Amino acid sequence: MPGQRKRRRQRKDEMRRAADRFAPEAGRWEVRFETQDEPEWREHIRRLRASDTQIDWSAARMDTLCGRLMQPTTYRLSLFVRNKVPVPGKDSSDN
């Protein structure tokens, strides 16, 4: 199929960039919202998308932790928080 090699290479490059961007040494995932009520989950996400323009949705993770008989399904929104980069020439003990 024409272009298949190019698309495959683009997907691999994109996955590699995402892996570098969200690597453990680059930062951490912080839970912003968690619930076991699906309608509440959908409403909260809808409100955030409509009102909060500060959220980088490409750095958001929406997890659905599937429940079983003993544990209900849990819905979780996490945002990636980058580690602070130290300023060159400034000592951290100068606080």
Side-chain angles (χ1 to χ4, degrees), residues 8-75:
R8 186 180 306 135
R9 188 179 63 242
Q10 287 173 340
R11 279 194 302 264
K12 284 184 179 181
D13 290 345
E14 185 178 316
M15 288 179 5
R16 196 173 302 119
R17 281 192 303 272
D20 292 342
R21 183 177 175 198
F22 301 124
E25 57 274 357
R28 66 190 184 287
W29 290 99
E30 276 189 9
V31 176
R32 295 295 178 151
F33 181 73
E34 186 172 324
T35 185
Q36 294 176 348
D37 184 27
E38 186 176 5
E40 179 185 9
W41 163 253
R42 292 185 186 279
E43 178 62 23
H44 186 77
I45 297 297
R46 187 190 63 75
R47 267 189 278 118
L48 277 177
R49 285 192 171 155
S51 66
D52 196 346
T53 57
Q54 299 296 322
I55 293 178
D56 176 13
W57 289 100
S58 68
R61 190 173 73 188
M62 293 183 236
D63 299 317
T64 302
L65 308 173
C66 297
R68 297 290 185 253
L69 294 175
M70 298 301 290
Q71 294 179 322
T73 300
T74 303
Y75 304 93

